[in-house]
Amino acid sequence: MEMNSIIKMVNYYSGLAKQRELTEIEKQDREKYRKIYLEKFRAQVRGHLDSIKIVNENEIN
């Protein structure tokens, strides 16, 4: 599932929750999409951090 689709669903349930009380099924779906979002976000951040190379002044080629 793409990040845009996940964000769209998270926003959908957030907006719906502002309008009315969510049903138990909607709450479960909201929680599922939040977990997926956080997992993908963390994976993206880890990927960026793993690709960073720290350069020491004494090791410049």
Side-chain angles (χ1 to χ4, degrees), residues 2-59:
E2 287 188 36
M3 195 64 141
N4 287 339
S5 300
I6 296 166
I7 292 170
K8 183 178 178 181
M9 292 306 296
V10 168
N11 289 337
Y12 168 75
Y13 284 117
S14 293
L16 198 58
K18 290 178 183 178
Q19 296 174 7
R20 63 173 173 80
E21 181 74 24
L22 296 178
T23 66
E24 285 303 314
I25 294 172
E26 290 170 336
K27 288 178 184 178
Q28 291 171 0
D29 280 348
R30 178 181 63 177
E31 190 61 31
K32 177 183 79 170
Y33 285 111
R34 284 179 174 175
K35 280 185 176 184
I36 294 169
Y37 172 80
L38 288 173
E39 287 171 5
K40 287 188 172 278
F41 180 79
R42 287 178 183 136
Q44 287 178 346
V45 171
R46 278 190 198 106
H48 289 299
L49 292 175
D50 289 343
S51 67
I52 294 174
K53 180 180 178 186
I54 298 174
V55 177
N56 187 339
E57 287 180 15
N58 299 327
E59 294 179 8

